Amino acid sequence: MKSCGTKLYHCLIVLCCFILLIVFGVVNYWLFFPYEVAKQTAPGRVLNKDIHVGDMLQVEWQYCKYIDIKPVAVHRQLIDDFIYPLPVPVVNLLPVGCHKTIVNVPLTIGDCKDCANHHFHLESTAVYQVNPIRTATVVMTSEEFTIQP
């Protein structure tokens, strides 16, 4: 005949194994579930064609967003042969669903002395914290444009 302490010990072992199994399942779900926060549905369309350094670039983004979360970081950069980082924008919550939105990007390029007549495209990267241990990155790019002298 088993004592009450032995039965309690076995129940605790089974309970701990069950809890470990649940934690293992949740962590695996967080690590391997294919999160798709948003995607770009068309290249960003540049609305103003006569662009100079210091001007405001207007780009129309077309996207579909599936999860209602705010990005933890947004980075923008101009890309040609080199990468020119742009000032960090104010982070806004884009609505869920398929939409078009117009963003204004200031072209303050400190180290670009010869940017005139170069072909660039804008790249915007948003990082989302989808769960406590994982982030998802969404990259959107614009069509090419030329900065005028």
Side-chain angles (χ1 to χ4, degrees):
M1 189 165 125
K2 293 185 179 181
S3 70
C4 185
T6 306
K7 287 182 183 180
L8 181 63
Y9 179 71
H10 287 295
C11 287
L12 285 176
I13 289 176
V14 169
L15 181 64
C16 287
C17 289
F18 182 70
I19 290 172
L20 282 174
L21 186 64
I22 288 175
V23 168
F24 181 73
V26 168
V27 169
N28 276 321
Y29 176 78
W30 282 346
L31 285 174
F32 300 114
F33 183 76
Y35 292 99
E36 185 173 29
V37 176
K39 71 176 179 179
Q40 184 176 11
T41 56
R45 189 168 61 99
V46 177
L47 300 178
N48 51 340
K49 300 296 181 185
D50 188 25
I51 307 164
H52 301 82
V53 172
D55 285 353
M56 193 68 72
L57 174 68
Q58 290 186 320
V59 178
E60 179 185 69
W61 296 120
Q62 294 182 31
Y63 68 93
C64 288
K65 187 172 177 190
Y66 307 108
I67 302 174
D68 191 25
I69 56 175
K70 188 174 183 177
V72 293
V74 176
H75 307 283
R76 291 183 183 152
Q77 53 197 11
L78 290 179
I79 299 176
D80 67 344
D81 295 334
F82 299 99
I83 297 174
Y84 301 97
L86 295 172
V88 176
V90 174
V91 178
N92 293 324
L93 179 63
L94 296 173
V96 173
C98 294
H99 302 282
K100 291 181 185 180
T101 187
I102 296 174
V103 295
N104 295 312
V105 181
L107 294 181
T108 53
I109 310 169
D111 295 335
C112 187
K113 309 219 183 332
D114 301 320
C115 283
N117 297 320
H118 282 226
H119 298 287
F120 292 94
H121 71 272
L122 175 68
E123 182 177 276
S124 182
T125 305
V127 179
Y128 295 90
Q129 187 77 41
V130 292
N131 63 44
I133 61 174
R134 188 159 159 219
T135 60
T137 303
V138 177
V139 178
M140 296 201 292
T141 57
S142 75
E143 63 188 7
E144 274 198 355
F145 59 91
T146 303
I147 294 180
Q148 304 298 324

